[in-house]
Amino acid sequence: VTVAVDVMGGDHAPHAILQGIVEYLEQEPNPAFLLLVGQPEVMTTALANVNPALYEIVAAPTVVEMDDHPVKALMKKPDASIPTCAKLVATGRAGGTFSAGNTGACMVAAIQIMERVPGVARPALGSFMPTITGPCLFIDAGANVDNRPSHLVDFAIMGSVYTNKVQNLEKPRVALLSNGEEDSKGDQLTKEARELLKQAPVYFSGNIEGNAVFEHEADVVVCDGFAGNLFLKGVEGMGNLGIAHLKKCIAAETNPVAKKSLEDALHGLMLQVDYAEYGGAPLLGVNGVSVIGHGRSNPRAVVVGIQVTARAAASGYVKAMQEIFATLEPNTEK
Amino acid sequence: VTVAVDVMGGDHAPHAILQGIVEYLEQEPNPAFLLLVGQPEVMTTALANVNPALYEIVAAPTVVEMDDHPVKALMKKPDASIPTCAKLVATGRAGGTFSAGNTGACMVAAIQIMERVPGVARPALGSFMPTITGPCLFIDAGANVDNRPSHLVDFAIMGSVYTNKVQNLEKPRVALLSNGEEDSKGDQLTKEARELLKQAPVYFSGNIEGNAVFEHEADVVVCDGFAGNLFLKGVEGMGNLGIAHLKKCIAAETNPVAKKSLEDALHGLMLQVDYAEYGGAPLLGVNGVSVIGHGRSNPRAVVVGIQVTARAAASGYVKAMQEIFATLEPNTEK
């Protein structure tokens, strides 16, 4: 498998990205071949001790900044690292791409250059959520707002195919995020989507409440991208509140044994809730693998992000998604 | 101040409620006079050692169950504890009421019996959220779905008046929950509400993202009740995940000093995130004080819930809300 990595994107790019790349190539027993996309002059020092057979540098002279307007930036900088990565996937040179850069630009580049899977009206962002027994896939994490019910059905199918192919779940349980489990609960969008989901080619388990997501009652949780973004950021904020509290306790603890015990507890909590352990969000519904990392990605997040991208590329989920949407009526609601 | 307490409502009623009542009356230096509403026969044992000058029993022979349909239950059981509490407030016998019972029934009873504040189209549920420096008021926590932009403006005004009067905030900062801080972010509802909020009689500080709520960047956070419910339940679920993790660490720890240190850390986290410490959600936009506790309320939550209700009743926020809405164009969007 070949993975195109955007070296220039992210709050701590290029240093954190390059450090993650080096760690990935050093640690991984059977690493993917990497296309390192960006300004070659920023890469040389960091890569000095890496086996040159493991990667190739692809020059991309310009950079989409984190706060650039996605569409405008892509028009002005067609040779930037983000669109170059998308082109490497679209032309088949790479099996997938990972970027911790401008999320909007990554999505627009993937949609414009890899194009939508025929039949999908709106590609959506999947995001992995911590639960008591491992991650579940949350979709849409914020690619879209003002969705129509049929869009949520597409999200359900995309999430189902992804978890089936990439996570090897035979029958991924798909649930619809709502304000109650009963059929009568939900806003208009959710109620209409629920009726459509009962007919969709997924294992639909009904509504799920926000707190039940953490009990791992579903493998895929479907939601409009606006409410989904609020939900995920709220969860992230609460996770950070818990982490900050434990750090304060550690700082105030004088007994070394107790301090160590608190540090272990913090480490365990961070393994569960830290975005870095989930390695980024796949953009689903485009003809290629595009995994988008958190802007704050540290080297660890980059390592996991490249692993996730390589696994997704090897799984063949894009082909499976194209096949299932080819059997359905195309979604004409924009 | 007189507070009507629903003795029969809640997952652990009547025992947990009565225990909370006894603790409140024993601990509070200057307790509110309590009207204890419910079946007198369930109360006698628990109240045996309480000074009878501190309370009065108001008989309510029937009970709205936690899973009853709110509107149907109130029609069938007009003499149940929930509508009886609302009547005690509407007739002026009580300054406010607290119930940990069926949330929907509490809301419907308050709206039908106390009635809406003139000019308010939709009463909404306020909920206190933990932040790094104390609670902020989140509104709407789930009383309404499919809101119109003008409803969010009403929520902003109600939240602003409440925090001003009850929490003595001179200029409560009101923010609109959205998927980004920029003006361009939001779904259609949020974008339209944002324009209206710029003209509203509140200190509007713009959009706020879900994770920034925990940084206490706003005193009042406004949101549609559907997305708001998802957000709050997600936050609750993540808080529970952190609590469960610490409990597991405590159980596995053999060193007594380290165990105690972990227990202190857990206790501190629970003080921050435990619903019991926030004492319930005020229903705003009705002509009376109605505070609705979590169904799972334990005695501690009941103590705090009665305290919150008494403080809210003493603050005169309902009168202030009536006055400000009397100066505005009535909201005619249902």
Side-chain angles (χ1 to χ4, degrees):
Chain A
V1 180
T2 299
V3 172
V5 183
D6 171 14
V7 174
M8 313 308 288
D11 295 338
H12 310 303
H15 299 294
I17 312 298
L18 285 163
Q19 200 183 321
I21 288 165
V22 172
E23 286 177 20
Y24 172 79
L25 291 176
E26 283 175 352
Q27 293 167 8
E28 198 72 8
N30 191 13
F33 183 78
L34 302 187
L35 299 177
L36 306 184
V37 183
Q39 296 167 338
E41 63 273 22
V42 307
M43 303 188 205
T44 42
T45 314
L47 298 171
N49 298 317
V50 178
N51 177 354
L54 298 177
Y55 68 90
E56 185 186 321
I57 291 175
V58 177
T62 57
V63 177
V64 175
E65 304 295 338
M66 296 303 277
D67 53 358
D68 275 353
H69 184 282
V71 176
K72 287 182 197 162
L74 292 172
M75 283 175 63
K76 265 196 213 159
K77 305 169 185 171
D79 57 359
S81 56
I82 289 175
T84 302
C85 284
K87 275 174 220 156
L88 291 167
V89 176
T91 58
R93 270 194 72 195
T97 178
F98 172 77
S99 172
N102 184 314
T103 302
C106 290
M107 293 194 296
V108 174
I111 294 169
Q112 288 182 346
I113 297 167
M114 302 179 197
E115 297 186 343
R116 289 175 179 79
V117 167
V120 171
R122 293 193 182 184
L125 209 52
S127 175
F128 293 98
M129 294 272 308
T131 80
I132 46 167
T133 51
C136 95
L137 184 67
F138 191 92
I139 180 169
D140 174 27
N144 305 281
V145 299
D146 296 316
N147 286 113
R148 303 277 313 141
S150 64
H151 299 146
L152 300 197
V153 176
D154 287 356
F155 302 168
I157 298 169
M158 298 191 296
S160 183
V161 171
Y162 186 90
T163 50
N164 173 246
K165 290 289 172 186
V166 183
Q167 300 178 280
N168 298 315
L169 299 181
E170 204 187 330
K171 293 186 174 186
R173 299 159 301 167
V174 177
L176 180 63
L177 193 64
S178 189
N179 59 338
E181 286 187 5
E182 308 89 327
D183 256 36
S184 61
K185 291 287 186 161
D187 59 359
Q188 198 58 34
L189 167 66
T190 307
K191 281 191 229 175
E192 290 179 26
R194 186 181 164 102
E195 291 313 304
L196 295 178
L197 279 166
K198 289 177 182 172
Q199 318 296 331
V202 297
Y203 297 96
F204 180 55
S205 61
N207 289 359
I208 191 169
E209 290 195 77
N211 46 355
V213 171
F214 300 87
E215 311 290 329
H216 212 173
E217 290 180 10
D219 303 304
V220 178
V221 173
V222 173
C223 182
D224 163 75
F226 180 75
N229 182 277
L230 304 187
F231 179 84
L232 288 169
K233 294 235 184 88
V235 165
E236 180 188 331
M238 175 54 106
N240 290 341
L241 199 73
I243 287 169
H245 171 69
L246 277 181
K247 284 186 176 169
K248 213 185 279 180
C249 294
I250 291 168
E253 181 58 62
T254 51
N255 180 297
V257 177
K259 205 187 200 56
K260 174 70 171 56
S261 181
L262 285 168
E263 283 166 352
D264 289 346
L266 173 63
H267 181 70
L269 184 64
M270 287 181 73
L271 274 183
Q272 273 191 307
V273 309
D274 192 5
Y275 70 92
E277 294 304 321
Y278 297 97
L283 180 70
L284 302 179
V286 291
N287 295 305
V289 175
S290 172
V291 176
I292 305 173
H294 202 297
R296 287 193 278 110
S297 285
N298 57 22
R300 171 74 187 152
V302 175
V303 171
V304 184
I306 299 172
Q307 289 170 337
V308 168
T309 309
R311 200 181 321 131
S315 76
Y317 83 81
V318 172
K319 189 156 174 287
M321 210 174 276
Q322 290 162 337
E323 285 170 359
I324 192 165
F325 276 100
T327 69
L328 301 171
E329 288 284 311
N331 190 342
T332 54
E333 289 189 301
K334 292 301 169 201
Chain B
V1 179
T2 299
V3 171
V5 182
D6 171 15
V7 174
M8 312 308 288
D11 295 338
H12 310 302
H15 299 292
I17 313 296
L18 286 162
Q19 200 183 322
I21 288 165
V22 171
E23 286 177 20
Y24 173 80
L25 291 174
E26 283 175 351
Q27 292 166 9
E28 198 71 7
N30 191 13
F33 184 77
L34 301 188
L35 300 176
L36 306 184
V37 184
Q39 295 166 339
E41 63 274 22
V42 307
M43 303 190 207
T44 40
T45 313
L47 297 170
N49 297 318
V50 178
N51 177 353
L54 298 178
Y55 68 89
E56 186 184 322
I57 291 175
V58 177
T62 57
V63 178
V64 176
E65 303 296 338
M66 295 304 276
D67 53 358
D68 275 354
H69 184 282
V71 174
K72 287 182 197 162
L74 292 171
M75 283 175 63
K76 265 197 213 157
K77 306 168 184 173
D79 57 358
S81 55
I82 288 175
T84 303
C85 284
K87 274 175 220 153
L88 290 167
V89 176
T91 57
R93 269 193 75 195
T97 179
F98 172 78
S99 172
N102 185 314
T103 301
C106 290
M107 292 195 296
V108 174
I111 293 169
Q112 288 182 346
I113 297 166
M114 302 179 197
E115 297 185 343
R116 288 175 181 79
V117 168
V120 172
R122 295 193 181 182
L125 209 51
S127 175
F128 293 98
M129 294 272 306
T131 81
I132 46 166
T133 51
C136 95
L137 184 67
F138 190 94
I139 181 169
D140 174 27
N144 305 281
V145 298
D146 296 315
N147 287 113
R148 301 280 312 141
S150 63
H151 300 145
L152 300 198
V153 176
D154 287 357
F155 301 168
I157 297 169
M158 299 191 297
S160 184
V161 170
Y162 186 90
T163 50
N164 173 246
K165 289 291 173 185
V166 182
Q167 299 178 280
N168 298 315
L169 298 181
E170 205 186 329
K171 293 186 174 186
R173 297 159 302 166
V174 177
L176 180 63
L177 194 64
S178 189
N179 59 338
E181 287 189 3
E182 309 89 328
D183 256 38
S184 60
K185 291 289 187 160
D187 60 358
Q188 198 58 33
L189 167 66
T190 306
K191 282 192 227 175
E192 289 179 27
R194 186 179 163 105
E195 292 312 304
L196 295 177
L197 279 166
K198 289 178 180 171
Q199 321 294 331
V202 297
Y203 297 96
F204 179 55
S205 60
N207 288 0
I208 191 168
E209 290 194 77
N211 45 355
V213 171
F214 300 87
E215 311 289 330
H216 212 173
E217 290 180 9
D219 303 304
V220 177
V221 172
V222 172
C223 183
D224 162 74
F226 180 74
N229 183 277
L230 304 188
F231 179 86
L232 289 169
K233 295 233 183 90
V235 165
E236 180 188 330
M238 175 55 105
N240 290 341
L241 198 73
I243 287 169
H245 171 69
L246 277 180
K247 284 185 175 167
K248 214 184 279 180
C249 293
I250 291 168
E253 180 59 62
T254 51
N255 179 299
V257 177
K259 207 186 197 56
K260 174 72 170 56
S261 182
L262 285 169
E263 283 167 353
D264 289 346
L266 173 64
H267 182 69
L269 184 64
M270 288 182 73
L271 274 183
Q272 274 191 306
V273 309
D274 191 5
Y275 71 92
E277 294 303 320
Y278 297 96
L283 180 71
L284 302 179
V286 292
N287 296 302
V289 174
S290 172
V291 176
I292 305 172
H294 203 298
R296 288 192 280 113
S297 284
N298 57 22
R300 170 74 188 153
V302 174
V303 170
V304 184
I306 299 173
Q307 288 170 337
V308 167
T309 310
R311 199 180 323 132
S315 76
Y317 83 81
V318 173
K319 190 156 173 287
M321 211 174 277
Q322 291 162 336
E323 285 169 0
I324 191 164
F325 277 100
T327 69
L328 302 171
E329 289 284 312
N331 191 343
T332 53
E333 289 189 300
K334 291 303 169 199

